[in-house]
Amino acid sequence: MDGKYKILYKLLILINMKQIVFLWIMLVLTIVLVNCKDNSKEDIEPQPLTNYTVTSINGGVRINYPVHNDDNILYVMVEYERNGKIWTERSSIYKGSLTIQGFHTIEEVKAQIYTVNYYEKRSNPVTVTFTPLESPLSIAFNSLKVEAEFGGVLATWENPTLAEFGIRLMMEEDGVLVDKEMYFSSIPESHPFREYEDVETTFAFTFEDKYGNVSDTLRFVVTPLPEAQIPIKSTTASWPWKVGSPYHPTIKTAIPYDSGNSSAYYNSTLPPGKLFDNVTHILGTSSAALYSAWLTAVGDKRQSPIFTIDMGYETGKSYKLSRMKIWPRMQGNLGGSQPWNAKQPYTVNNVLAFEMYGIREFPMDKLNDKGYWLEPFTATSFIHDGVNVGSPNFTDEWVYLGRYELDRLDLMGASDADIVQRALDGNEFKIQFNAEPVRYIRFIVLETDKGSPSTDAMWEIAELRFWGTDKVTF
C-alpha cells in the first residue's frame, strides 16, 4: 500500500475509535439521567384528604372526594377493621370515590383515610365513622320465601344491590342438616332446587357472601310437588274435532278458524292425531306415510296457525304444568349413509316459535263469536272473512303460558350429530311456575322457516307432550 494511503487509513481508524468512545459516554450519561430520581418530592408528605363526604350504603360506605390535580398524590387509601381483620381499599385520586363493602352488622365502624404519593408515602390519617345500612345478605335472608316446586322447592329472595352471594341448601336427615347444593347469584330471582322426592322434608337455607359472612339458618317444611306426563290420547279415526277427540271434546261445534277443523285443512296422510301418538320419529324410507307428524294443508288460507288441546278429556282434570316438549318432523332414510338430515329440524315447515294460552273451563258461550278466537299477530296470515279481532279476545281471558323459541343449534356452530340428537330427544321448555292450572290449551304457531307468521298457515309438528300434576288443590 502506498505510504500516503497508510497514513489516511490510520487516521480513519483513530476517528472511528473516538466516535465509539463518545457514543459510549453518551449512552452511560443517558442511562444515569433516566434512572436518577428527583428526590426533591420524595420526602414531601402528601396533604390529607379534604372536602370528602361519607354515605352509608347496604353493607358498607361510599366515600366521595374531589378529583385532585396535586401531582404529589397518586391514590386514596382507607384502612378499616371487618370481622376481626384489618382491610385496605385503594382508589385513584382521579376516580373521585371509594367504596367499602362486606359488613354484615349494623354497627358503627371507624376507618382511616390516607392520600398516598408516588413514593408510597402516606399523609396523616383522617378518621371517619359510619354505620352501614342493612347488608345485602341480611336483605336476602329476611326476604327468603320457599314453596313447593315440581320435584323440589322454589326459593325466592330480594337483592336490590345486585350483590354476589351463594345460597346453600341443606336437608335434615336423622336430625342433622346435610349439605345438598350451593347456588350462586348476583340478581334478585327465584331459583328452583329440584330432584327431591315428593315427601314432607325439612329444607334449610343459609346465605354466604365473598367476604366470609354467613347468615343464620332458615328451615322450611315442604312437600315437593309430584310430576308426571299428562295422559293425552290420540284419536285419528274421526275428524273434524268433536266428542271423542283429544283436542276439544265436549265441544260439538268446531272453534272458528282453528287448524284441523276439517279434513280439507290438513294433509290426509299426516293428520292432527299424529301429535299424541307417542311416535316422535320413524326411521324408514322417504315416503311421507312413514314419518310421524301433523302437516297442515299446503297453501290453505282458511285456517289460522292455532289449535286447541283438551288435556283432561280422559280424566276431566285440570293440570298445573311444569314443562312440555315439542318434536320437529324428522324424515329418516334407513338405507342412507346418513340416516337423519341435520337440516330438517329448522326447515320443512317445522315450528320454530310458538305461544300458549290455557283455561280451566271452556267458554262455550264464545263459540259463535268469531272475533273472540282471532289472535292479533297471526290474524294477518289467513282469510277470516272480514271479521275483526275481538275485544276482548281469548288472549285477554285465558292464562298466558309463555312464548317459546327453539334453540337454533345450526346457527350456534353445533355439529350435525348434536343437531340431530336434539331433534330426536325433543325440545324441552319450562312453563312458568306461577301459571294457574289449566285443562284447555291454545297453541299458536308464531314462526316457521317460511316466515313469521307462517306463510299460507302451513306448518308441522311431530309430537307434543306435557308434564305437571293434578294432585294439588289450587
Side-chain angles (χ1 to χ4, degrees), residues 129-140:
T129 59
F130 62 91
T131 302
L133 303 181
E134 183 180 11
S135 72
L137 212 63
S138 177
I139 293 173

Side-chain angles (χ1 to χ4, degrees), residues 255-385:
I255 298 176
Y257 309 118
D258 259 27
S259 289
N261 284 349
S262 166
S263 60
Y265 291 6
Y266 61 85
N267 185 315
S268 60
T269 307
L270 301 167
K274 295 280 190 176
L275 288 184
F276 302 105
D277 62 357
N278 289 319
V279 179
T280 60
H281 54 273
I282 298 174
L283 185 60
T285 68
S286 61
S287 170
L290 291 179
Y291 66 80
S292 177
W294 175 13
L295 174 63
T296 56
V298 177
D300 196 321
K301 286 185 173 286
R302 293 171 292 170
Q303 61 177 342
S304 71
I306 303 175
F307 59 94
T308 308
I309 305 165
D310 181 0
M311 297 186 296
Y313 173 62
E314 296 289 334
T315 64
K317 297 178 179 179
S318 295
Y319 296 89
K320 185 172 179 63
L321 299 174
S322 60
R323 58 191 173 99
M324 60 87 64
K325 270 191 175 185
I326 180 172
W327 278 264
R329 184 264 269 187
M330 290 289 284
Q331 181 175 313
N333 184 357
L334 187 59
S337 58
Q338 298 293 331
W340 301 107
N341 186 341
K343 294 182 179 179
Q344 284 191 352
Y346 312 110
T347 58
V348 295
N349 302 299
N350 276 317
V351 173
L352 301 180
F354 60 94
E355 282 184 320
M356 295 190 299
Y357 288 81
I359 199 168
R360 276 189 179 186
E361 299 294 333
F362 192 87
M364 298 291 292
D365 59 326
K366 300 290 188 180
L367 283 175
N368 293 324
D369 182 358
K370 291 186 176 182
Y372 179 85
W373 302 99
L374 294 175
E375 187 274 329
F377 177 69
T378 56
T380 62
S381 67
F382 68 99
I383 298 170
H384 42 87
D385 307 317

Side-chain angles (χ1 to χ4, degrees), residues 190-207:
S190 296
H191 179 70
F193 294 87
R194 292 198 177 97
E195 299 187 6
Y196 296 97
E197 296 181 6
D198 56 328
V199 296
E200 187 176 271
T201 304
T202 298
F203 295 94
F205 296 86
T206 61
F207 290 91

